[in-house]
Amino acid sequence: MILMDVMFERVVGVDIGKKSVTVCVRTPGPGGGRQGETRTLRTMTRSLELMRDWLVGQGATLAALESTSTYWKPVSYALE
């Protein structure tokens, strides 16, 4: 059996609360390293649209969401 590590070039971690969403995107950095950028946004529709546009612009291909309750739903819908 051959085991292979799967690497994703551009990934996103999202911590979702009732009033805010903290988003970190990790992308390739200079010299073969990694760089990250973190932003905190409100959970209002326009802010979620701005988050989506920013992540699309970063070329993110995978997002991991962490949330309490059902606060993840609007964020998930914005990223669909």
Side-chain angles (χ1 to χ4, degrees), residues 40-77:
T40 300
L41 304 131
R42 297 192 51 175
T43 55
M44 306 306 284
T45 302
R46 181 64 188 137
S47 295
L48 296 178
E49 290 170 346
L50 291 171
M51 174 196 68
R52 179 200 58 219
D53 294 346
W54 173 55
L55 295 175
V56 167
Q58 293 291 317
T61 57
L62 180 71
L65 308 179
E66 189 284 320
S67 176
T68 55
S69 189
T70 59
Y71 301 131
W72 61 270
K73 288 182 178 184
V75 175
S76 178
Y77 299 148

Side-chain angles (χ1 to χ4, degrees), residues 1-73:
M1 181 162 102
I2 298 173
L3 297 177
M4 182 185 308
D5 289 337
V6 176
M7 299 292 287
F8 295 93
E9 186 176 67
R10 298 168 183 274
V11 296
V12 178
V14 185
D15 184 24
I16 305 163
K18 183 176 183 178
K19 295 183 180 183
S20 68
V21 177
T22 301
V23 184
C24 179
V25 62
R26 299 271 297 165
T27 57
R34 307 279 298 156
Q35 62 185 19
E37 184 179 347
T38 302
R39 294 185 182 181
T40 300
L41 304 131
R42 297 192 51 175
T43 55
M44 306 306 284
T45 302
R46 181 64 188 137
S47 295
L48 296 178
E49 290 170 346
L50 291 171
M51 174 196 68
R52 179 200 58 219
D53 294 346
W54 173 55
L55 295 175
V56 167
Q58 293 291 317
T61 57
L62 180 71
L65 308 179
E66 189 284 320
S67 176
T68 55
S69 189
T70 59
Y71 301 131
W72 61 270
K73 288 182 178 184

